């Protein structure tokens, strides 16, 4: 894993309660701005590779809209069936009002 | 029995005796500064006989199976709160025994409950104990998909299923009704409407509580090693307070609590707080009562002045303090709320498995469900409901904290330690009671005519559903 941060989006694009998914190189990344801060995770569900980005975020957890798996945004851990494997989590920071993610 | 009690009992018809030489609940409440509404100032007790209640209902797995076949399939049950599913597509999975339902908002003012199983080869469309948001329900096995309204959207490779007719493959539904922020479901399509099931008296009470304007600030669950009905009955009377919760009795009118029944599906008690137990008469001062007062949500009382003035009662000081501090702590307007509603414990059973507490200091909802395939285990949930803040911004409902069987309720995040202690005491007796009922030489339990009327009333309705083969 490299330690380089990449500009992801302007902070204004992800207000608290909002989220955004985009590709960094070939990796789909989702950034969620929650009451507990910013989190960056894989935008693809570990269960059957379905897109997570239309999922509901509540209490720092995201629920896959396709089959209902749920993941902890802080750790990527799977919390509900049908998922049994975690999703990737990435370091995230804000520099000059830009959200930056480190893959 | 004291001579006094015997005298009283012998001169009265069965069920008419009340705790001797003590004020009734109504008399205690009538002395309050801010008077109580009519739903508090009413009584509805009726004697239902003194026969023992048979114990097969607690110990026989065959009885539990009859309940699954005849009771759970025909009663209105609290499946979730509307706040769990605020937006179209939000869903909450509710299980009862082996039955499972996806309760989902299909339009702004419409909620449906679908049987949670794929109509192809049966896979659950959503795992049990989950919630989330969906734009459609797709089976994780072969991808058959249903629209939010339950209509079939896609049978994968439909060329291979010419026998699957779209109009015959909508997801089966249970009945749904919304009331006071609660989503109720019923598997029986011939069941009476919820309003008829609950009755006008209780609906009047419920309406005045405005529970739709509350939100879940805490949610704790634990499996209790006892039959679900035993577990519920542990909360149906204040008769156990003096023995089980000695720390509470100092400020609880336990033996003079009030018990009421309404139709077949609702009963209640009112247990006044801030007054000394009749069991302890003469042993404590008013200042002692105030000093030992505990409430469900005592965090809001930290730092309060607890020194009584000459002639002041503990109950009135407590009411005044709670009004001020609860308003501050919860940012809500309690100016129209009576002293009794602020202080007292109003415990209602809504048949079969829900308790609603109408008060402000004890703002709980309990739900009890038998664990599938084990009549000796019950999933017990406690929800704490606070008024939505004055600014109108409804916080997200708290997530459920699932305790292990060995854990104390005090360990749950956000639980008031004093209240956690009470729940521990309530539930610690239950394994011994379950085992005692399995060991006993006596075929029934014996109940007090007045203080245990809720247990008798509840079991009479259980009997009605279980006996009725319809």
């Amino acid at each position: 894993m490299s330690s380089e941060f990449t500009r992801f989006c302007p902070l204004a694009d992800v207000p608290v309660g909002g989220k955004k998914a985009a590709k960094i190189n070939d990796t789909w990344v989702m950034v969620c701005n929650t009451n507990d801060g910013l989190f960056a995770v894989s935008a693809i569900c570990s269960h059957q590779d379905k897109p997570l980005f239309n999922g509901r975020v509540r209490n720092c957890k995201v629920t896959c809209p396709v089959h209902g798996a749920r993941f902890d945004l802080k750790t990527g851990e799977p919390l509900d069936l049908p998922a049994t494997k975690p999703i990737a989590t990435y370091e995230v920071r804000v520099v000059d009002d830009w959200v930056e993610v480190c893959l | 029995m004291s001579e006094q009690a015997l005298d009283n009992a012998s001169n009265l018809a069965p069920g008419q005796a009340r705790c001797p030489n003590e004020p009734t609940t109504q008399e205690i409440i009538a002395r309050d500064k801010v008077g109580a509404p009519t739903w508090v100032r009413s009584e509805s007790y009726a004697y239902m006989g003194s026969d023992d209640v048979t114990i097969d209902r607690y110990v026989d797995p065959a009885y539990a199976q009859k309940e699954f076949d005849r009771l759970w399939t025909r009663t209105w049950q609290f499946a979730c709160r509307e706040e769990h599913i605020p937006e179209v597509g939000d869903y909450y999975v509710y299980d009862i025994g082996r039955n499972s339902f996806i309760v989902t908002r299909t339009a702004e003012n419409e909620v449906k409950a679908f049987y949670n199983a794929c109509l192809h080869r049966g896979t659950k469309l959503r795992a049990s104990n989950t919630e989330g948001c969906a734009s459609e329900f797709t089976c994780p096995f072969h991808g058959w998909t249903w629209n939010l309204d339950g209509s079939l959207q896609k049978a994968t490779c439909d060329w291979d299923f010419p026998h699957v007719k779209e109009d015959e493959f909508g997801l089966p539904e249970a009945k749904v009704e919304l009331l006071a922020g609660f989503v109720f479901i019923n598997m029986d399509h011939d069941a009476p409407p919820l309003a008829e099931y609950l009755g006008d008296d209780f609906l009047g009470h419920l309406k005045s509580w405005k529970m739709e304007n509350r939100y879940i600030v805490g949610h704790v669950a634990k499996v209790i090693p006892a039959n679900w009905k035993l577990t519920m009955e542990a909360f149906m009377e204040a008769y156990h307070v003096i023995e089980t919760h000695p720390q509470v009795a100092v400020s609880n009118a336990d033996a003079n609590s009030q018990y009421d029944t309404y139709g077949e599906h609702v009963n209640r008690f009112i247990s006044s707080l801030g007054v000394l137990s009749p069991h302890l008469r003469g042993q404590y001062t008013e200042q002692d009562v105030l000093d030992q007062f505990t409430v469900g949500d005592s965090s809001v009382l930290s730092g309060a002045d607890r020194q009584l003035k000459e002639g002041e009662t503990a109950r009135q000081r407590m009411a005044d303090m709670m009004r001020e501090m609860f308003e501050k702590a919860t940012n809500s307007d309690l100016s129209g709320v009576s002293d009794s509603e602020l202080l007292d414990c109003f415990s209602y059973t809504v048949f079969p498995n829900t308790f609603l507490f109408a008060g402000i200091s004890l703002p709980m909802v309990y739900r009890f469900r038998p664990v599938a395939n084990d009549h000796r285990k019950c999933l017990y949930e406690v929800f704490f409901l606070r008024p939505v803040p004055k600014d109108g911004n409804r916080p997200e409902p708290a997530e459920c904290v699932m305790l292990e069987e060995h854990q104390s309720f005090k360990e749950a995040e956000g639980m008031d330690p004093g209240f956690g202690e009470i729940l521990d005491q309530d539930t610690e007796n239950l394994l011994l009671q379950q085992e005692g009922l399995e060991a006993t030489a006596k075929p029934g339990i014996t109940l007090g005519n007045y203080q245990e009327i809720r247990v008798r009333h509840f079991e009479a309705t259980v009997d009605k559903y279980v006996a009725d083969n319809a």
Side-chain angles (χ1 to χ4, degrees):
Chain A
M1 191 186 276
S2 84
S3 60
E4 275 179 40
F5 279 87
T6 308
R7 278 195 164 184
F8 184 81
C9 69
L11 182 59
D13 286 4
V14 277
V16 174
K19 60 187 186 306
K20 187 179 174 72
K23 260 186 173 176
I24 298 179
N25 300 326
D26 285 332
T27 304
W28 274 104
V29 174
M30 177 168 73
V31 169
C32 304
N33 195 351
T34 74
N35 292 333
D36 290 347
L38 282 168
F39 296 95
V41 295
S42 166
I44 305 297
C45 183
S46 70
H47 166 232
Q48 287 177 1
D49 296 337
K50 300 290 194 274
L52 268 176
F53 41 78
N54 287 324
R56 186 175 82 178
V57 175
R58 249 194 201 178
N59 295 314
C60 234
K61 285 122 190 162
V62 62
T63 305
C64 178
V66 184
H67 300 124
R70 195 168 57 123
F71 302 91
D72 188 326
L73 290 175
K74 294 176 180 170
T75 64
E77 285 305 305
L79 301 167
D80 289 336
L81 288 175
T84 55
K85 296 184 291 289
I87 53 172
T89 58
Y90 308 106
E91 277 187 70
V92 63
R93 69 183 185 190
V94 176
V95 175
D96 298 334
D97 290 330
W98 275 81
V99 176
E100 296 187 346
V101 173
C102 176
L103 286 194
Chain B
M1 242 185 237
S2 70
E3 275 180 33
Q4 178 78 51
L6 277 173
D7 276 356
N8 278 347
S10 59
N11 294 333
L12 294 166
Q16 296 307 304
R18 298 292 180 270
C19 185
N21 306 318
E22 290 287 338
T24 64
T25 298
Q26 290 301 323
E27 286 165 352
I28 292 168
I29 290 169
R31 295 172 194 156
D32 292 339
K33 201 163 65 188
V34 182
T38 47
W39 67 265
V40 176
R41 288 185 290 104
S42 59
E43 291 192 66
S44 180
Y45 169 82
Y47 176 63
M48 295 179 73
S50 304
D51 291 345
D52 280 2
V53 170
T54 57
I55 61 171
D56 56 334
R57 70 193 62 240
Y58 306 117
V59 301
D60 183 358
Y63 195 95
Q65 189 54 51
K66 284 184 205 165
E67 289 173 349
F68 280 122
D69 295 342
R70 301 172 191 172
L71 187 157
W72 296 105
T73 49
R74 296 193 296 150
T75 47
W76 284 101
Q77 291 156 51
F78 154 44
C80 65
R81 290 271 300 168
E82 281 204 65
E83 66 195 284
H84 283 122
I85 49 170
E87 287 166 36
V88 172
D90 285 347
Y91 65 85
Y92 182 103
V93 178
Y94 172 75
D95 284 15
I96 179 67
R98 285 187 280 180
N99 284 109
S100 182
F101 298 90
I102 300 174
V103 182
T104 185
R105 190 173 294 275
T106 51
E108 193 184 335
N109 292 309
E110 184 183 62
V111 173
K112 292 191 173 193
F114 301 119
Y115 282 74
N116 183 15
C118 180
L119 298 185
H120 170 220
R121 280 167 61 185
T123 306
K124 273 185 180 168
L125 294 172
R126 285 293 183 271
S128 290
N129 304 312
T130 66
E131 54 184 294
C133 181
S135 49
E136 62 210 8
F137 293 108
T138 299
C139 178
F141 195 177
H142 301 92
W144 284 41
T145 300
W146 282 266
N147 296 308
L148 268 190
D149 66 4
S151 58
L152 181 65
Q153 182 188 108
K154 183 187 84 172
T156 307
C157 296
D158 58 357
W159 54 265
D160 210 12
F161 294 89
H163 45 296
V164 167
K165 307 283 182 261
E166 197 183 305
D167 58 353
E168 293 169 1
F169 271 72
L171 291 174
E173 296 173 32
K175 283 174 83 164
V176 174
E177 290 207 42
L178 309 179
L179 181 65
F182 295 90
V183 179
F184 283 89
I185 72 167
N186 194 325
M187 289 178 242
D188 180 5
H189 285 269
D190 297 324
L194 181 60
E196 187 183 320
Y197 177 93
L198 297 174
D200 289 341
D201 284 334
F202 173 66
L203 281 182
H205 299 193
L206 183 62
K207 208 169 268 179
S208 59
W209 304 339
K210 300 200 172 15
M211 284 201 167
E212 61 276 20
N213 295 337
R214 293 195 185 190
Y215 74 99
I216 299 172
V217 68
H219 180 186
V220 181
K222 186 175 170 180
V223 172
I224 306 296
N227 184 268
W228 68 281
K229 301 185 297 302
L230 279 188
T231 310
M232 284 181 69
E233 288 161 12
F235 299 93
M236 286 189 189
E237 33 80 4
Y239 179 42
H240 70 279
V241 168
I242 190 67
E243 192 68 26
T244 302
H245 313 297
Q247 79 280 18
V248 172
V250 178
S251 57
N252 179 206
D254 52 359
N256 45 351
S257 293
Q258 176 180 318
Y259 297 85
D260 298 301
T261 59
Y262 302 93
E264 289 182 323
H265 299 118
V266 179
N267 59 47
R268 76 167 179 184
F269 72 51
I270 306 178
S271 198
S272 293
L273 297 176
V275 280
L276 185 66
S277 163
H279 293 288
L280 303 174
R281 187 61 64 206
Q283 298 174 41
Y284 293 89
T285 65
E286 280 292 301
Q287 185 64 52
D288 294 333
V289 173
L290 184 63
D291 291 345
Q292 300 198 38
F293 193 110
T294 58
V295 291
D297 201 353
S298 64
S299 61
V300 300
L301 290 173
S302 53
D305 168 23
R306 286 189 167 221
Q307 194 57 47
L308 279 180
K309 296 190 187 73
E310 186 67 29
E312 196 182 9
T313 64
R315 178 172 168 85
Q316 194 60 56
R317 169 66 75 88
M318 210 62 208
D320 295 346
M321 263 171 20
M322 298 235 288
R323 181 181 309 280
E324 188 188 332
M325 305 196 85
F326 263 97
E327 278 190 333
K328 239 183 257 168
T330 64
N331 188 27
S332 50
D333 178 14
L334 300 173
S335 54
V337 175
S338 67
D339 293 339
S340 176
E341 290 164 277
L342 278 164
L343 284 179
D344 295 333
C345 181
F346 301 93
S347 160
Y348 284 71
T349 304
V350 175
F351 193 86
N353 66 334
T354 300
F355 276 55
L356 302 182
F357 292 80
I360 301 291
S361 67
L362 295 159
M364 294 86 66
V365 172
Y366 296 164
R367 179 165 63 181
F368 303 83
R369 284 179 282 175
V371 169
N373 305 323
D374 192 345
H375 69 284
R376 299 170 98 247
K377 284 195 190 301
C378 168
L379 177 66
Y380 168 42
E381 291 170 277
V382 183
F383 304 78
F384 294 94
L385 266 58
R386 270 194 185 167
V388 171
K390 266 189 289 195
D391 63 16
N393 284 331
R394 178 181 275 280
E396 284 185 358
E399 275 188 280
C400 183
V401 177
M402 186 75 197
L403 295 173
E404 301 289 327
E405 279 190 52
H406 62 84
Q407 280 188 289
S408 161
F409 280 98
K410 289 184 279 192
E411 292 176 51
E413 200 187 319
M415 175 73 78
D416 175 78
F419 192 68
E421 173 71 19
I422 292 174
L423 295 183
D424 284 344
Q425 291 169 331
D426 278 322
T427 50
E428 278 162 2
N429 292 328
L430 282 161
L431 179 59
L432 288 177
Q433 192 185 11
Q434 179 72 38
E435 290 182 347
L437 288 170
E438 289 161 356
T440 185
K442 184 165 169 279
I445 59 169
T446 300
L447 297 172
N449 286 335
Y450 184 64
Q451 294 180 89
E452 291 175 313
I453 190 67
R454 288 178 74 190
V455 177
R456 185 178 298 284
H457 177 259
F458 170 69
E459 289 297 353
T461 305
V462 169
D463 279 336
K464 187 200 105 168
Y465 279 98
V466 168
D468 184 357
N469 238 333

